[in-house]
Amino acid sequence: MIETKSAPISEDQELMMAFQDIVSSSNQDLIQENANVDGRSPCGQMNKFANESAKFYAKQQMLSEEAKQAVDENYIHIHDLDYMPTGTATCCQIPLGKLLERGFNTGHGHMRSPQTILSAMALAAIIFQSNQNQQHGGQSFQAFDYDLAPFVTRSYKKQLHKLQQYKLPLSKNELEELAWAETDHECYQACEAFIHNLNSLHSRSGGQVPFTSINYGTDTSKEGRMIIKNLLLATQAGLGKGETPIFPIQIFKMKKGINFYKEDPNYDLYQLALKTTAKRLFPNFSFIDAPFNLEYYEEGNPESEVAYMGCRTRIMANRHGKENSVGRGNLSFTSINLVKIALTSQTFEAFIQKLDEYTDVVIRQLYERYIFQTHKLVKDFTFLHGEGVWTGSSELGPEDRLEKVLKQGSLSVGFIGLAECLVALTGKHHGESDEAQNLGEEIVAFLRQKCDQACEQYDLNYSLIATPAEGLSGRFTKRDQKEFGKIKGVTDRDYYTNSFHIPVYYPICAMEKIKREAVYHPYTNAGHITYIEVDGDISKNLKAMDTLVKTMAESGIGYGSVNHPVDRCKNCGYTGMIDNECPSCQITDEKQIDRIRRITGYLVGTMDKWNTAKASEEHDRVRHV
């Protein structure tokens, strides 16, 4: 009997198959590519139809032949390809203070400058929602405490004026103390409402709440400290039934002399942050004193403080303007499959040569996408650029092109699977071998060097990002398994390890993991993160949490977080660690347990929306003792 091979599936046939999977909701990995989108909802399905159609168009009409071939052969992945025809950018650090001070227009009317902290935080949520509809990635506030402090002052003045009208038999000092107490209460209500809004306001045609992050922790003024304190307390309280808030992703900025030591003015807020993280997984922690962050720091200038975004994105260097995060972001990024390059290279020299070639392909592809983005007009982004969110856009008219603005953004080269790549090259990954660790650093240093060279060649802000892979973690792997089979330690799992991380299944102590991953943070100037997994109820051991955070700081980590189980019983509302049975009501029905877990850098309230690769990765995670 003669064996016949079926004809290869054409791209338009693939598109129709994807459509059928959307209609039937039969492909979990397709409809739940993003765990915070309800892919089964009508709006979620409509968006997915649009996503797949836009990807098809972009691939057919907008990619060079070399980029298209590299995608087809599974060497590179172009993130958010579906948004490429729109010309929008990935993310932005929004200048919240500026927008609130002068007011803004969402397209349906002007919002005047708020006169209270309650109004200011309500408008902050609206700013996030308005901006989300014009970008495909996340957005963040770089100095949340500093930006909102003036509106605490406005609330205090109103409270004091109101109390003075009552002619109370109180001294001036007593009246002021009472006014501050009323302002403190108002500030808590504002923070509570802000968190509730960001977990309920839908954007993107109703399919997703805004992907939001806030950075704070260094404002030592009375007003700034009040913002930080009440935000942490409201986060601890949770949502209406005690649920853990998924957004905003909160990032507590650590700085020696401000909140690091016991004698520092905001040390008490750092301790409150530890307590909040132990209960709610947020805030994460960023470290201004890391050498690659400290070089931009100017004492007394909050805009010079490094800010991160959600999963890990970071932007600081700028060839065309101020070197800070405010009003800037990542334009786009494309990731390289390190594993396949290793599997198709006989020697390390051949690997580097091939890596060199595909990095050049990515650099050229990012430039071509950038050129298309710069030809868009201000009027195409009525909020993002029309309202001056991006630095310099307020100086342009509606018919102006965006080159002057976008050249201040970053073009990022990403990578995935360093661990599996090293196993393919040496037989061991960087968590278990010093030789592999040295080789891993050499590979990542090479990629950073290529980005720095691209900066000079194109006079643009090329940078290297430690890719946050969600859908990609399984997509690369499935295709490589079809070509190479299941190779132990390389392609034998459902996912590749994110960026430079030590594999989640490898038992290693927390301090050693921090030490080994810290090596890669200086190279990945577009963003990075290190996670530590701990077991049990960490709220009973805040000293251990403090040790982990301080070790990250002293090891040169730029951005880090501590993962631990956060479960909630829907039957009785108990929040904490739940194994097979709720310790409060003894219910054993798994459907009654919400298991909050971090998927890449953000949280997901229910794991039934995870794709199979990330679900498998979460299952494999071991605790770092």
Side-chain angles (χ1 to χ4, degrees), residues 271-336:
Q271 293 299 307
L272 185 60
L274 291 176
K275 186 177 180 181
T276 307
T277 299
K279 185 173 184 180
R280 298 297 186 185
L281 286 167
F282 285 147
N284 300 337
F285 296 89
S286 66
F287 304 99
I288 294 173
D289 291 309
F292 46 86
N293 291 333
L294 190 61
E295 65 177 289
Y296 300 102
Y297 179 73
E298 300 171 6
E299 188 173 354
N301 177 13
E303 287 193 359
S304 70
E305 296 177 0
V306 66
Y308 286 83
M309 200 175 305
C311 293
R312 65 203 65 201
T313 307
R314 170 191 181 274
I315 181 169
M316 290 299 287
N318 189 4
R319 300 175 70 88
H320 299 285
K322 289 183 179 179
E323 293 196 307
N324 60 30
S325 298
V326 188
R328 304 170 58 220
N330 190 18
L331 299 175
S332 62
F333 73 104
T334 297
S335 291
I336 298 170

Side-chain angles (χ1 to χ4, degrees), residues 204-278:
R204 293 179 178 170
S205 303
Q208 185 181 17
V209 292
F211 194 99
T212 54
S213 306
I214 54 176
N215 295 259
Y216 60 83
T218 54
D219 189 344
T220 58
S221 69
K222 187 181 185 73
E223 294 87 345
R225 284 175 49 79
M226 192 174 287
I227 292 287
I228 300 166
K229 180 194 73 173
N230 285 299
L231 184 67
L232 290 168
L233 291 175
T235 303
Q236 284 186 32
L239 300 178
K241 292 187 176 181
E243 304 97 324
T244 291
I246 304 305
F247 289 110
I249 298 169
Q250 299 182 35
I251 302 153
F252 191 93
K253 295 186 283 189
M254 297 290 294
K255 179 73 183 73
K256 293 176 179 178
I258 294 178
N259 51 35
F260 198 86
Y261 300 116
K262 287 184 178 180
E263 61 271 20
D264 291 344
N266 280 4
Y267 182 77
D268 59 329
L269 296 176
Y270 164 58
Q271 293 299 307
L272 185 60
L274 291 176
K275 186 177 180 181
T276 307
T277 299

